[in-house]
Amino acid sequence: MGERRGAVVRAAAMVLGAGACYCLWRLAASGRRGPRAAAGAAPGPPSDNSTAAVSTHAMDADALQKLIHLLQVTDDPLIQEQALITLSNSAAFSVNQDIIRNLDGLSIIGGMISDCIPKVKEKALNALNNLSMNIKNQEEIQVYITQVCGSVESAPLNSDLQLAGLRLLTNMSVTSDYHHKMINSIPCFLHLLSEGTERTQIQVLKVLVNLSANPAMTRHLLRAQVPSLLLLFESCINRDILLRALVFAANLKKNVKSEDSTGIQDQYSEDSIFFTLCRDSTPFAQKLASLLHHPDTEVKEQVVRILTQ
């Protein structure tokens, strides 16, 4: 593996030159020394942050431009991965987010979402995730939302690729500007909520909580079917999952209450989220009553919020 890393660095040097190539050399060297955390790194996957031994905030526009150019000219997936990791870690700093956008890096990185190699696609999603902390960048990244949703749906369940897509969708759903682009993926999100591991459930709940805060998304969410939804409201459930599930339910109930309820029940099937949380609510009410004795204060606050609406 060490020989392979060395070959990657030598190949990159032909395109990058000394400055940007040094960053890749540091990344390769960090793999031999063991993982180290990048200082100031934005929320993202531990695997990417752990490889960032280089001070990517110190990279100038010329080095970033060479990394972006490298993505255009190489077909070597390992070189692509290392370049994307470097760009992702550099994007933890706002000045680099602007530089990468001005260098047309968003479209080049976005184009790699369609790569057939899962690891390259994953690293591209991670880079866009860090870059999406910038509102101007979100305006460009939003064109890839449908494609990202497709990647989440087609990726193996609980895979790093799936989680990378969900992290990006979480950032892109913080405001309601792009919620409409995720409507068709609501059944997928709810499937992941039922079938995923705790890590996947937490990440998909972050997306669902963001969507549920938007009244325009309420009916789309309430129409969906999640037979196992009530299982999320058990005292024994992971606290991060339980709290987010309660916020999701509280947002929906609040939005339903503010709507004109005339004939609203006719819009939903008996196995919909609406019937579980709003119409046939006795089982849900029993779950909430039990959660009033939960030791976590925030959990109890969300239960009270639901009960008093």
Side-chain angles (χ1 to χ4, degrees):
M1 185 63 181
E3 294 179 0
R4 174 61 171 151
R5 286 197 184 95
V8 167
V9 175
R10 288 192 294 274
M14 298 176 65
V15 178
L16 289 172
C21 184
Y22 174 70
C23 296
L24 285 182
W25 176 81
R26 290 289 299 274
L27 282 168
S30 71
R32 292 191 295 271
R33 290 192 301 267
R36 293 172 57 186
S47 58
D48 283 1
N49 290 339
S50 65
T51 57
V54 63
S55 296
T56 48
H57 65 286
M59 294 180 67
D60 58 20
D62 183 60
L64 290 171
Q65 184 175 37
K66 288 178 179 178
L67 281 170
I68 292 168
H69 177 64
L70 179 62
L71 292 176
Q72 294 177 288
V73 300
T74 183
D75 293 325
D76 188 310
L78 192 53
I79 292 178
Q80 291 172 333
E81 282 185 53
Q82 296 293 345
L84 286 167
I85 290 172
T86 305
L87 288 168
S88 178
N89 289 318
S90 72
F93 304 93
S94 57
V95 62
N96 291 339
Q97 295 170 11
D98 293 330
I99 292 172
I100 292 171
R101 181 185 68 252
N102 293 333
L103 291 172
D104 198 31
L106 297 179
S107 63
I108 293 168
I109 296 171
M112 304 197 76
I113 296 174
S114 59
D115 197 281
C116 61
I117 299 175
K119 278 294 181 184
V120 172
K121 183 182 296 189
E122 175 200 334
K123 298 303 184 289
L125 290 168
N126 288 338
L128 290 179
N129 176 51
N130 282 352
L131 287 162
S132 68
M133 300 293 187
N134 181 308
I135 292 178
K136 288 185 177 180
N137 285 358
Q138 285 196 1
E139 293 173 357
E140 294 190 26
I141 294 172
Q142 58 91 14
V143 302
Y144 302 106
I145 287 178
T146 301
Q147 192 174 352
V148 175
C149 288
S151 295
V152 169
E153 292 186 41
S154 62
L157 182 63
N158 304 318
S159 63
D160 288 339
L161 173 57
Q162 189 171 73
L163 288 165
L166 289 171
R167 279 191 292 268
L168 176 55
L169 293 177
T170 299
N171 281 350
M172 295 302 295
S173 61
V174 169
T175 68
S176 60
D177 295 345
Y178 312 116
H179 284 183
H180 63 283
K181 292 177 174 284
M182 304 181 197
I183 290 174
N184 291 337
S185 292
I186 288 175
C188 168
F189 298 153
L190 295 171
H191 170 74
L192 297 181
L193 186 59
S194 296
E195 302 297 330
T197 61
E198 288 187 350
R199 190 168 64 146
T200 299
Q201 287 178 313
I202 290 171
Q203 198 62 56
V204 78
L205 274 168
K206 291 180 181 181
V207 179
L208 290 170
V209 166
N210 288 345
L211 297 181
S212 68
N214 180 4
M217 297 295 292
T218 302
R219 296 194 181 192
H220 298 290
L221 290 165
L222 290 176
R223 288 192 188 105
Q225 302 171 7
V226 192
S228 60
L229 183 61
L230 287 179
L231 297 177
L232 298 178
F233 301 99
E234 300 282 355
S235 295
C236 60
I237 289 291
N238 179 303
R239 182 258 185 194
D240 290 334
I241 294 173
L242 175 59
L243 183 58
R244 288 182 172 86
L246 287 167
V247 174
F248 174 68
N251 287 346
L252 291 178
K253 293 208 68 161
K254 176 185 176 182
N255 293 340
V256 167
K257 185 178 180 180
S258 64
E259 281 191 351
D260 179 6
S261 60
T262 305
I264 191 173
Q265 298 181 22
D266 297 335
Q267 302 177 27
Y268 306 107
S269 63
E270 292 186 2
D271 54 357
S272 65
I273 291 179
F274 173 81
F275 268 72
T276 301
L277 299 183
C278 305
R279 176 65 177 84
D280 184 20
S281 57
T282 300
F284 184 47
Q286 292 173 343
K287 298 283 188 183
L288 295 176
S290 175
L291 290 172
L292 283 172
H293 303 288
H294 196 280
D296 187 89
T297 301
E298 288 186 79
V299 167
K300 287 186 285 192
E301 287 174 352
Q302 290 302 321
V303 171
V304 172
R305 179 187 170 204
I306 296 171
L307 291 173
T308 54
Q309 287 177 354

